[in-house]
Amino acid sequence: MSLHVIDLIKGQLGPALVSQAASQIGESESSVSKAIDGFLPAVVGGLANNADNPEVLDTISNASSSGILGNLLGGSSNDSAISRLLSVLFGDRLNGLIETISGYAGISNNSSSSLLSLVTGATIGSLGKYAADNNLDQSGISNLLNDQKGIVSTLLPAGLSLAALTGSGDWDARYKFDNDKDAIKTSVQEEPQPSEPKVEVTRSTAPEGTFPDRPTTNDSGSIWKWLLPLLLLLAVGFFVWKQCDKKETTTTTVVNDSGNVVRDTTTATTGMAADTAGMASTSKVDEDIDLNGTALKGYKGGMEDQMITFLKSGDYQTAADDNALKNQWYNFDHVNFKLGSATELEAGSEGQLQNLVAILKAYPEAKIKIGGYTDKTGNEASNLKLSADRANFIKSWLNKQGVGSQVTGADGYGSQFAAVDAKASDAERATDRKMAVRFSK
């Protein structure tokens, strides 16, 4: 599965930045957001179209050290590197692109131009950071951009066409940046083609309702017309029944600090979630987890449930030292960082961190340690640093919540314990990118 670089970029163009940009250029937030959604696939498509251009690759390679991501609103519009890059990507179509998005989003050309520079800065900054974090050279960056050619055609917002930018070349044509054309094709196909004769079909019926030009008895063909669909329906019903009866197993593997598996906890449920294309292998629903009379939202058997059960058992209090506790880790179910970042959490992550704070406050004698992990891709030194930075970010976050004295440490293990091959899909490798917590003394 190819990485969708637009997912990287959108992390830099969140609601806060949209609000600031709208205030700065004097446009509504909805119009700014609409313009950004239009520019993003155009810029990514332009980069993919120039994946082997040395100037493009140099600009991305140098973006990580330029600090552009830290000054998107203040520096992108005046950055000469951005201006040169836009000329390389769009040439004489640049003004046409600005005017097209201006009309689409209902903003001025000046605002449109500023937002194009903003989006381009966020794009090369995100790509440069990703390349640095994953130790990609210019060949790796080129391959990453080439991978986008198969997906950018699906990313243009509905109702926006960039067909007018095609000119004498094929910048638009090779990516099919024209959602309007698709709509037109649908309506055209409903009309007979000029070169095809229009065939009129008529039939007559006898008074009794039969077709006099066809046999009405012993017609094996007509029997199969209803028998085949019936057989197919029965087969589908049997398949669905078997799937519903299939057992689904969820396995939680706990590793110690040396990477040894020390406990596997498995539970079996029934249902179709594991066999539905595009869905996760397990189906979990948040429930109320009891914390001494206070309800926490979490998975039954998930991190909160396991930690509270352990504390209530008294095993923590009776543990002689840290060695008695280091073999039992609890994986966070909801805490995830944005790709390549050690300081930006995915939406919904803080809820589980707040649950952890509540547990620590309910058991003030309990102490914990944080662990960070990555998949096998990229440079291992970078992986170790990234995982350690993420673990320390959570430690710092907990300290701000008033429970820092209960956190004894935060370590990053990089890909040391990763189990999925680096060549596997991103979705498969996601299981190795995680944060975990264990009790300590």
Side-chain angles (χ1 to χ4, degrees):
M1 178 184 295
S2 299
L3 169 71
H4 289 216
V5 300
I6 282 186
D7 292 337
L8 289 177
I9 306 160
K10 283 185 175 179
Q12 305 296 333
L13 300 171
L17 185 136
V18 169
S19 178
Q20 293 174 35
S23 176
Q24 183 171 301
I25 64 177
E27 304 285 359
S28 69
E29 291 185 21
S30 61
S31 295
V32 169
S33 181
K34 194 173 182 180
I36 288 175
D37 287 343
F39 277 132
L40 263 176
V43 172
V44 173
L47 289 171
N49 196 17
N50 291 272
D52 300 317
N53 187 306
E55 186 170 355
V56 170
L57 298 176
D58 284 342
T59 303
I60 294 174
S61 297
N62 296 328
S64 179
S65 59
S66 69
I68 190 170
L69 286 180
N71 194 26
L72 288 176
L73 287 172
S76 297
S77 60
N78 299 317
D79 194 319
S80 58
I82 297 293
S83 299
R84 288 197 305 273
L85 181 63
L86 288 173
S87 295
V88 170
L89 298 185
F90 304 114
D92 59 3
R93 304 180 184 90
L94 181 56
N95 288 334
L97 174 61
I98 292 172
E99 291 174 0
T100 298
I101 299 300
S102 173
Y104 167 71
I107 59 178
S108 69
N109 283 353
N110 286 338
S111 296
S112 181
S113 178
S114 296
L115 291 174
L116 174 56
S117 296
L118 173 67
V119 169
T120 306
T123 299
I124 64 169
S126 299
L127 287 172
K129 185 177 186 304
Y130 179 81
D133 290 343
N134 291 275
N135 201 33
L136 295 183
D137 56 14
Q138 291 198 358
S139 175
I141 295 173
S142 177
N143 291 335
L144 177 62
L145 293 178
N146 275 311
D147 285 344
Q148 308 311 303
K149 291 182 178 179
I151 60 175
V152 291
S153 62
T154 66
L155 302 175
L156 204 68
L160 174 61
S161 170
L162 299 183
L165 304 180
T166 304
S168 58
D170 62 351
W171 179 84
D172 173 71
R174 77 175 65 181
Y175 299 119
K176 301 178 181 177
F177 278 158
D178 185 8
N179 286 0
D180 288 348
K181 285 181 182 176
D182 297 336
I184 294 172
K185 286 179 181 177
T186 301
S187 60
V188 168
Q189 289 172 351
E190 294 174 356
E191 298 296 329
Q193 299 297 321
S195 59
E196 298 177 356
K198 187 174 182 180
V199 179
E200 294 185 2
V201 180
T202 61
R203 63 183 184 182
S204 60
T205 58
E208 293 79 7
T210 61
F211 293 91
D213 54 343
R214 297 183 186 178
T216 58
T217 59
N218 298 324
D219 186 347
S220 61
S222 61
I223 292 175
W224 283 108
K225 287 180 181 179
W226 61 265
L227 186 57
L228 273 176
L230 179 61
L231 292 174
L232 288 173
L233 184 61
L234 290 173
V236 170
F238 177 77
F239 175 78
V240 171
W241 175 76
K242 291 297 291 181
Q243 293 301 94
C244 288
D245 192 50
K246 182 181 291 186
K247 287 189 175 181
E248 175 187 292
T249 302
T250 302
T251 304
T252 301
T253 302
V254 183
V255 299
N256 61 19
D257 289 347
S258 301
N260 299 315
V261 177
V262 297
R263 188 186 67 176
D264 289 326
T265 303
T266 59
T267 57
T269 59
T270 59
M272 297 179 61
D275 301 291
T276 304
M279 294 183 65
S281 60
T282 60
S283 179
K284 298 180 178 179
V285 179
D286 277 337
E287 300 180 22
D288 286 339
I289 306 299
D290 178 56
L291 174 61
N292 301 334
T294 300
L296 304 181
K297 284 295 182 182
Y299 294 149
K300 194 68 175 176
M303 186 202 78
E304 295 93 334
D305 193 17
Q306 292 184 55
M307 292 184 73
I308 293 170
T309 299
F310 181 75
L311 288 168
K312 287 182 176 179
S313 71
D315 289 345
Y316 176 80
Q317 291 81 353
T318 59
D321 53 30
D322 192 64
N323 286 329
L325 297 168
K326 69 178 184 179
N327 291 334
Q328 189 167 333
W329 285 87
Y330 305 92
N331 293 337
F332 284 99
D333 304 297
H334 291 302
V335 176
N336 297 291
F337 285 84
K338 291 183 177 179
L339 193 60
S341 174
T343 58
E344 294 182 276
L345 292 168
E346 292 283 3
S349 295
E350 288 196 2
Q352 188 160 43
L353 289 176
Q354 291 289 3
N355 283 351
L356 179 57
V357 170
I359 293 172
L360 293 176
K361 288 184 176 180
Y363 293 89
E365 76 283 1
K367 299 184 185 300
I368 61 167
K369 178 181 177 181
I370 307 296
Y373 307 83
T374 69
D375 61 25
K376 291 184 178 181
T377 60
N379 176 269
E380 183 57 19
S382 298
N383 287 339
L384 283 169
K385 182 180 184 305
L386 179 64
S387 59
D389 288 346
R390 287 175 170 175
N392 279 293
F393 175 86
I394 290 180
K395 180 182 177 182
S396 176
W397 191 95
L398 292 171
N399 185 56
K400 294 175 182 177
Q401 310 304 311
V403 293
S405 61
Q406 293 176 254
V407 184
T408 62
D411 289 329
Y413 301 102
S415 63
Q416 182 180 355
F417 304 133
V420 182
D421 190 272
K423 296 180 180 179
S425 70
D426 184 72
E428 293 171 315
R429 288 185 280 107
T431 59
D432 287 331
R433 300 191 296 268
K434 61 189 178 185
M435 304 302 298
V437 58
R438 72 169 176 87
F439 289 109
S440 65
K441 286 288 188 177

